[in-house]
């Protein structure tokens, strides 16, 4: 059993896509074991994306992530990190496979609807960034 962090990013929340994303998670047996709506501060967004702090898009990305509420979730299941990355599609929606969330709904390389952890170490860091153990159901 593996866990991963999912975020429905502010672009998707604004566009009324929470239900669409959640439906796809449920249809693909990516079990939601924690879920809440948050509105990140700039410092929280910078801490979350600290690995990207040297990238030219860091300012823009962190401004985008604080531009409105987001939905953070913990997903659980066998091989859930890779399975959710596959469902999301490539970072750049123009390169994402047909039928993926980003291919269908993203409008921009930055405003790409969803986030998913990319490895087990990052998943552990990212889950604990937003949730304590009491907020995750067994
Ligand atoms: P992910 O794991 O697929 O989300 O991709 P990364 O970890 O590489 O990037 C994190 C997030 O930064 C992406 O989901 C995008 O929102 C944003 N991003 C990535 N590359 C670019 C870029 O070239 N330009 C801009 N403006 N944003 C980017």
């Amino acid at each position: 059993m593996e866990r991963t962090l999912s975020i429905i990013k502010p672009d998707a929340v604004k566009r009324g896509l929470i239900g669409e994303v959640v439906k796809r998670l449920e249809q693909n047996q990516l079990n939601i074991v924690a879920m809440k709506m948050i509105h990140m501060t700039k410092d929280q967004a910078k801490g979350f994306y600290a690995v990207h702090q040297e990238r030219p898009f860091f300012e823009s990305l962190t401004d985008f992530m604080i531009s409105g509420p987001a939905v953070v979730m913990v997903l659980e299941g066998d091989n859930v990190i890779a399975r959710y990355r596959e469902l999301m599609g490539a970072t750049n929606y123009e390169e994402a496979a047909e039928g993926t969330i980003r291919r269908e709904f993203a409008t921009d390389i930055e405003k790409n609807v969803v986030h998913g952890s990319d490895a087990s170490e990052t998943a552990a860091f990212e889950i604990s960034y937003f949730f304590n153990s009491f907020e995750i159901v067994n």
Side-chain angles (χ1 to χ4, degrees):
M1 237 0 148
E2 201 174 60
R3 283 178 176 171
T4 194
L5 184 86
S6 163
I7 305 179
I8 304 177
K9 294 182 178 182
D11 60 326
V13 172
K14 275 199 189 101
R15 291 165 60 205
L17 294 173
I18 297 173
E20 187 64 51
V21 173
V22 168
K23 181 181 81 183
R24 284 161 189 252
L25 298 176
E26 290 180 330
Q27 284 173 342
N28 288 278
Q29 286 76 50
L30 296 162
N31 301 317
I32 300 167
V33 293
M35 184 179 205
K36 64 187 170 190
M37 184 172 268
I38 60 165
H39 192 155
M40 274 184 245
T41 64
K42 184 78 171 174
D43 280 348
Q44 278 176 321
K46 283 168 133 178
F48 182 72
Y49 277 124
V51 290
H52 292 314
Q53 60 193 353
E54 303 303 333
R55 303 281 194 96
F57 57 82
F58 184 67
E59 255 327 288
S60 169
L61 172 61
T62 49
D63 280 345
F64 160 54
M65 292 302 287
I66 68 167
S67 65
V71 174
V72 286
M73 290 173 278
V74 179
L75 310 180
E76 186 177 81
D78 288 332
N79 200 24
V80 73
I81 295 173
R83 288 199 295 124
Y84 178 48
R85 296 279 302 182
E86 198 178 326
L87 186 72
M88 289 195 315
T91 310
N92 183 351
Y93 73 102
E94 291 172 317
E95 291 162 10
E98 289 294 338
T100 59
I101 293 171
R102 284 169 165 172
R103 180 61 179 245
E104 292 202 12
F105 301 108
T107 53
D108 184 296
I109 190 167
E110 182 175 274
K111 295 173 184 61
N112 58 3
V113 181
V114 278
H115 167 84
S117 313
D118 62 1
S120 56
E121 305 74 51
T122 39
F125 165 75
E126 291 178 356
I127 290 168
S128 65
Y129 198 79
F130 293 114
F131 293 96
N132 67 48
S133 58
F134 301 106
E135 296 175 300
I136 303 172
V137 300
N138 281 312

